[in-house]
């Protein structure tokens, strides 16, 4: 990925990074280049810059931090960091080690994390809502989904009937790639404007109430909607030879029990960027996260300017 624009200025900030994988190694390097002091815990050490402090404990890593960064996958429902080489439970006691005005950055903000931050008066930022990050991440997500489909089918993507459920940032990127490979692409979207966009792109638009009429024709279903869309009744309208690739966050948008009963190959595949293209995904984090942090701290400074 070509780097564009200036480097964020995070000079003077102390930043704690919890967990992650190869992506976070790239991010830590970028944070250091931006002038931040970085402490890590549960982050892979291979490839880390010597300037990064590998703390002996989560409490040590968090002590006095101005910003705490969690992986894009955030925590599970119990507050445990989902991707980490060493266990990290993000508790109120742990976050209390950070600066009293610290900000917490996470790709998914579970209710438990939001509650703990609120109790301490810490601002929490959902990095998963950032358009630049989500659109860039949609590229490796779409490539990974297509790879999984290729591995699961005895036929080519070219000339196959593919349905993409959801027309968000990942859905549109995926639909465009499938179309470029010569697939016949249907796009299911709830909003008329999104169905109009699918039609403009040369694809077949589908409203959700019409899925039962569309699905019997489909060879591969790609779901990006974060809700149960492919319920039992819809799964049973699919051919037994169909394949489902579900990119939504756990538990996905598919009735996997019904798919198994039907004999349909169905896979839940969240977090594909870090699995299929960790270097590119890491460079995306390195490009975007420092900018998000800089913007959030600048916004706070403006809010506290005299006269405001």
């Amino acid at each position: 990925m070509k780097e564009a624009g200036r480097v964020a200025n995070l000079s003077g900030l102390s930043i704690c990074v919890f967990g992650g994988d190869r992506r976070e190694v790239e991010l830590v390097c970028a944070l250091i280049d931006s002038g931040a002091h970085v402490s890590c815990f549960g982050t892979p050490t291979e490839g880390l810059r010597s300037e990064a402090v590998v703390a002996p404990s989560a409490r040590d890593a968090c002590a006095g931090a101005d910003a705490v960064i969690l992986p894009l996958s955030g925590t599970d429902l119990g507050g445990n960091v989902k991707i980490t080489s060493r266990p990290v439970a993000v508790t109120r006691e742990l976050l209390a080690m950070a600066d009293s005005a610290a900000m917490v950055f996470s790709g998914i903000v579970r209710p438990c994390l939001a509650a703990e931050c609120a109790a301490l008066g810490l601002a929490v930022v959902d990095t998963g809502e950032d358009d630049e990050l989500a659109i860039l991440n949609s590229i490796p997500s779409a490539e990974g989904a297509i790879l999984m489909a290729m591995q699961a089918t005895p036929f080519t993507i070219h000339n196959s009937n593919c349905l993409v459920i959801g027309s968000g940032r990942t859905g549109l990127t995926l639909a465009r790639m499938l179309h470029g490979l010569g697939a016949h692409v249907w796009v299911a979207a709830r909003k008329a404007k999104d169905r109009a966009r699918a039609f403009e792109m040369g694809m077949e638009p589908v409203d959700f109430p019409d899925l039962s009429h569309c699905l019997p024709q489909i060879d591969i279903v790609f779901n990006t909607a974060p809700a149960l869309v492919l319920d039992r009744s819809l799964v049973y309208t699919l051919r037994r030879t169909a394949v489902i690739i579900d990119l939504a966050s756990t538990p996905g948008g598919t009735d996997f029990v019904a798919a198994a009963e039907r004999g349909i190959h169905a896979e839940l595949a969240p977090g594909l960027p870090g699995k299929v293209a960790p270097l590119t995904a890491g460079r995306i984090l390195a490009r975007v996260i420092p900018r998000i942090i800089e913007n959030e701290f600048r916004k706070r400074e403006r809010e506290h300017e005299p006269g405001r």
Side-chain angles (χ1 to χ4, degrees), residues 77-124:
L77 295 176
N80 301 295
V81 176
K82 295 182 72 173
I83 301 176
T84 179
S85 61
R86 301 176 68 181
V88 180
V90 184
T91 62
R92 191 175 308 179
E93 291 72 23
L94 176 60
L95 292 174
M97 297 297 298
D99 185 83
S100 60
M103 294 188 192
V104 178
F105 298 82
S106 179
I108 297 177
V109 180
R110 304 285 183 192
C112 57
L113 176 62
E116 300 291 37
C117 289
L120 294 168
L122 303 180
V124 59

Side-chain angles (χ1 to χ4, degrees), residues 6 45 55 77 82 127 129 167 182 185 221 267 299 303:
R6 65 176 184 81
T45 57
L77 295 176
K82 295 182 72 173
T127 55
E129 290 299 311
S167 58
V185 183
V221 181
E267 295 186 62
K299 186 190 305 181
E303 290 172 352

Side-chain angles (χ1 to χ4, degrees), residues 176-231:
R176 186 178 294 111
M177 284 189 184
L178 291 166
H179 188 65
L181 287 171
H184 306 292
V185 183
W186 282 254
V187 176
R190 296 191 186 279
K191 296 180 180 178
K193 68 179 183 67
D194 294 330
R195 295 194 296 274
R197 176 61 67 192
F199 178 79
E200 179 273 329
M201 293 167 63
M203 303 165 196
E204 292 290 335
V206 181
D207 199 354
F208 275 67
D210 299 325
L211 278 173
S212 60
H213 303 296
C214 166
L215 285 169
Q217 310 170 64
I218 300 301
D219 299 306
I220 310 171
V221 181
F222 298 89
N223 177 58
T224 68
L228 181 60
V229 177
L230 292 172
D231 58 20

Side-chain angles (χ1 to χ4, degrees), residues 233-295:
S233 63
L234 288 179
V235 166
Y236 268 80
T237 65
L238 285 165
R239 305 168 183 168
R240 294 182 184 274
T241 56
V243 168
I244 301 171
I245 306 295
D246 197 323
L247 282 70
S249 299
T250 304
T254 302
D255 187 331
F256 289 97
V257 173
E261 292 173 356
R262 181 78 171 149
I264 291 173
H265 181 99
E267 295 186 62
L268 180 61
L272 282 176
K275 297 173 183 176
V276 302
L279 180 58
T280 297
R283 288 174 176 170
I284 290 170
L285 291 186
R287 170 176 172 171
V288 180
I289 296 297
R291 188 265 303 163
I292 293 175
I293 296 172
E294 181 185 45
N295 287 347

